Each structure stands twice: as structure tokens, then as C-alpha cells.
Amino acid sequence: MFAALPKAAFSILAGSSMLKSLASTYGMRSSSSFARRFIAGENVEEAIAAARDVERQGLLVTLDLLGESVASADEAFAATKGYIAVIDAIQASGVGRNVSLKLTQLGLDIDQATCIDNLRRILDVAKAGDFFVRIDMENSPYTDRTLDTFETLWNIGYHNVGVVIQSYLKRSMDDIRRVNALGARVRLVKGAYREPAAVAYQQKADVDRAFVDQMQVLLTDGTYPAIATHDPAMIDATTAFAAQKNIAKDRYEFQMLYGIRRDLQTSLSAAGHPFRVYVPFGTEWFPYFMRRLGERPANVGFIVGSLLKEK
Ligand code: FDA
């Protein structure tokens, strides 16, 4: 029944304050609550504990303090300070020094200069601690501003930073060439937002074809690209292309999201592929969580079952 729900339905539901309040009450309440399947916890201690579990299985991590679309410069500054505290906590804990963040969390909606200042604050602390910082890609109104912000910082010497390119956007091959030319690192994903046909492929077959084309350019001309997908067909296409071109396994990495296809995560790592798990955490988990439901509506059945048990 839930499998029939379109991705658009989840975008609409993501805006529902009633659903958000219900989810906030029950989603993370106990260790078995439904949102914990995808979210490592609401605070950095829980995220670090989850990261340790992931690393015990021989996998790498990137930690993401969830948050997006802040509306004021004060909130953006608070998020920046939050990230710096997370970097300090990761450093003290000894787990992998790699974080992911979103620019609307740092004030991109307010103005680009505010966002650049905040990102610089984070990159300075990250650089001193030898961290890598990945800028996640949000929906298409932000693509240009995200790439421009990234490139501005790259060009003034911040090279501990990389970006994400979404294969569903028709522009992405050009963006990949632009980032490859800098020598910077790309994480390739299919794309998680609902986008209009004018800018994005709508059919899975077209998105997949673009993903394979872009993966090949990244493996050939890119700098340590991350191939981030749970799709076995994309993974097979990557390993087959790498074998055909004699590209060593340590010249790229696979990435997946926390809680999704754990079987594939460990089998790829056991086969000698560097493998990173994206570990999201924080109190602002609802939009991220709704995007995960939108990708696989069958997940809703599991959530409803857990909710009934919780109540
Ligand atoms: P696809 O959606 O075709 O799914 C293939 C198979 O994977 C499914 O059949 C199912 O088995 C499994 N699967 C996929 N999603 C699942 C889910 N939610 N629950 C259970 N099973 C699932 N997007 C973005 O726009 N900006 C970004 O910055 C990022 N960052 C990012 C980082 C990392 C590490 C990953 C893995 C993904 C992202 N994404 C992202 C999300 C990405 O764009 C995409 O929406 C998801 O990865 C789902 O696409 P797949 O490539 O997995 O393929």
C-alpha cells in the first residue's frame, strides 16, 4: 500500500507540523524507536557511539549534525558553533575526522557572505584538526550558490573540503568537470529532492544512466571520488569500470547512509573497497528522515508498526 505513495507525497508530509510533532515525540524516544533506524541519535555522544560501532566493522564514517534552512544570522551562527563543538568532540573521541554539512544550515538563505564566513570558521578548526569537510548538495535553487561558495573557499586555499553532485540534474556533467579541474573531491549521488523536469531527469533509467556516465568521468579524471549509492547496479557498474581501466580500489570509495543496506556495506568493505558510512544525528532530523521514507515508501509500513507499539 505505501509503496504506491509518490516521492511528492513525502515532500508535502515533510511540511506537516502535526506529523513533525508526532514524530518528534515518538521517533527517538527509546533505543528501539523508529527513527533510530536512520538517525544515530540526538546528541554527539550517541553519534560517536554509533560511529564506533561502524568503525568496529572496518568501515569509515562521516558525521552529519542535521539541520537545514535556518532563517536568521543568529541561528546560522549557533549552527556554526554547534559544528565546531562536534569537531572538538570527534577529535577527543578518536573516531574518523570527517564531517558533512549543509550550507542552508550556515546561512545560505540569509546571504552568501554570512554563509562563507561561517563555513570558514568551521574549515579553520577542521584544517587545524586534519578533518575533511563535505558540503552536502541541497535542492536545485542552491546548486549554483553551493558550488560558488565551495569554489571561493577552495581558491583561497581551503583544500580540506569537497562537494556533492547529483546525477539527476541535467547540468551535472559540466559541474563534475568544473570540480575535477580544481582537483577537488566529489561525492556522486542520485539526488534526494523533488525537482522539476526542466532541470532534472524524472525516470530512474535516465538518472541511472547519468550516474554511470558521471561515475566513469570521476573515476578517470577525478580526485578520490566517493560513489554514494545503495543501488547494486550502480556499484557493479563502478567495480566493473574500475577493473576494466585498472583503477585501484584505493583511488575511490563507496559510501552509504547509516542504517541502509548494512549487508552490502560490510560485504564491499570485506572485498577491499574503502567504505564510508554517513552517520546523521541531532534534534533536527525530521526533513532528513522524510527524504529516506520518500526513497523507499515501503519503509512507512515499518514506521507505522513501530508507532503502534510505542503508543
Ligand atoms: P535508489 O534510490 O535507486 O535505490 C536503490 C536501492 O537502494 C533500493 O532499491 C533499496 O534497496 C535501497 N535504498 C535506497 N534508499 C533506501 C532507503 N531510504 N531505505 C531503504 N533502502 C533504500 N542526496 C542529495 O540530494 N544530496 C546529498 O548531499 C546527499 N548525500 C548523500 C550521502 C550519502 C553517503 C548517500 C549514500 C546518499 C546521499 N544522498 C544525497 C541521497 C541520494 O541522493 C539518494 O537519494 C539515495 O542514496 C537513494 O538513492 P540510491 O543511489 O541508493 O538508489
Side-chain angles (χ1 to χ4, degrees):
M1 155 180 140
F2 298 111
L5 285 174
K7 206 170 180 174
F10 290 92
S11 306
I12 295 163
L13 289 173
S16 155
S17 51
M18 195 191 85
L19 198 62
K20 184 172 180 186
S21 121
L22 190 70
S24 303
T25 309
Y26 296 108
M28 301 287 283
R29 197 161 64 164
S30 71
S31 59
S32 61
S33 296
F34 59 83
R36 288 191 186 266
R37 173 170 171 182
F38 301 116
I39 318 292
E42 291 201 314
N43 57 52
V44 71
E45 290 76 23
E46 289 177 300
I48 286 171
R52 285 209 174 98
D53 280 347
V54 170
E55 289 186 340
R56 264 194 287 275
Q57 298 163 57
L59 310 173
L60 306 163
V61 290
T62 180
L63 268 67
D64 182 356
L65 171 59
L66 292 168
E68 51 199 88
S69 306
V70 305
S72 72
D74 285 349
E75 280 178 85
F77 190 58
T80 304
K81 285 201 291 189
Y83 251 98
I84 290 171
V86 165
I87 288 173
D88 290 343
I90 292 174
Q91 208 161 336
S93 76
V95 300
R97 297 181 178 204
N98 192 308
V99 293
S100 297
L101 50 76
K102 290 185 174 47
L103 294 188
T104 62
Q105 192 176 11
L106 306 184
L108 191 60
D109 271 331
I110 300 152
D111 69 85
Q112 198 161 353
T114 301
C115 179
I116 288 178
D117 285 349
N118 286 334
L119 183 56
R120 261 186 103 152
R121 290 185 177 103
I122 293 173
L123 291 180
D124 280 332
V125 179
K127 201 172 177 179
D130 201 20
F131 273 69
F132 181 75
V133 177
R134 177 79 64 180
I135 303 175
D136 286 347
M137 188 57 81
E138 299 173 72
N139 44 337
S140 58
Y142 299 108
T143 312
D144 276 325
R145 278 179 284 163
T146 300
L147 289 172
D148 290 347
T149 301
F150 158 72
E151 198 168 349
T152 302
L153 288 163
W154 181 272
N155 287 337
I156 54 173
Y158 291 96
H159 290 180
N160 57 328
V161 60
V163 274
V164 176
I165 302 286
Q166 298 151 323
S167 74
Y168 65 11
L169 292 187
K170 294 175 180 172
R171 57 179 285 166
S172 285
M173 190 59 101
D174 290 339
D175 292 335
I176 283 177
R177 295 214 162 93
R178 171 178 169 189
V179 182
N180 282 353
L182 296 172
R185 285 159 61 169
V186 168
R187 172 201 291 153
L188 180 65
V189 301
K190 289 192 187 178
Y193 299 83
R194 183 170 158 68
E195 295 287 358
V199 299
Y201 301 115
Q202 305 293 307
Q203 302 301 320
K204 175 173 164 59
D206 295 326
V207 177
D208 287 358
R209 202 172 304 115
F211 190 100
V212 171
D213 290 347
Q214 293 160 15
M215 170 275 289
Q216 294 185 350
V217 172
L218 283 168
L219 256 58
T220 314
D221 303 329
T223 303
Y224 194 68
I227 308 302
T229 177
H230 316 94
D231 187 342
M234 300 299 103
I235 292 163
D236 290 348
T238 306
T239 54
F241 182 74
Q244 186 200 334
K245 297 285 176 192
N246 269 325
I247 297 167
K249 288 175 182 166
D250 63 2
R251 297 237 335 261
Y252 62 98
E253 69 181 32
F254 284 114
Q255 296 188 353
M256 287 189 196
L257 301 176
Y258 181 78
I260 301 181
R261 293 303 310 257
R262 289 190 175 135
D263 54 335
L264 259 182
Q265 299 185 4
T266 43
S267 66
L268 280 165
S269 167
H273 294 285
F275 196 101
R276 192 175 304 278
V277 179
Y278 180 105
V279 179
F281 73 99
T283 52
E284 298 301 312
W285 50 264
F286 186 69
Y288 173 90
F289 176 72
M290 291 305 284
R291 285 196 289 277
R292 301 298 71 87
L293 296 191
E295 282 154 5
R296 195 161 179 270
N299 286 337
V300 181
F302 151 80
I303 305 300
V304 171
S306 319
L307 250 183
L308 291 174
K309 262 191 253 155
E310 290 272 342
K311 289 189 101 174

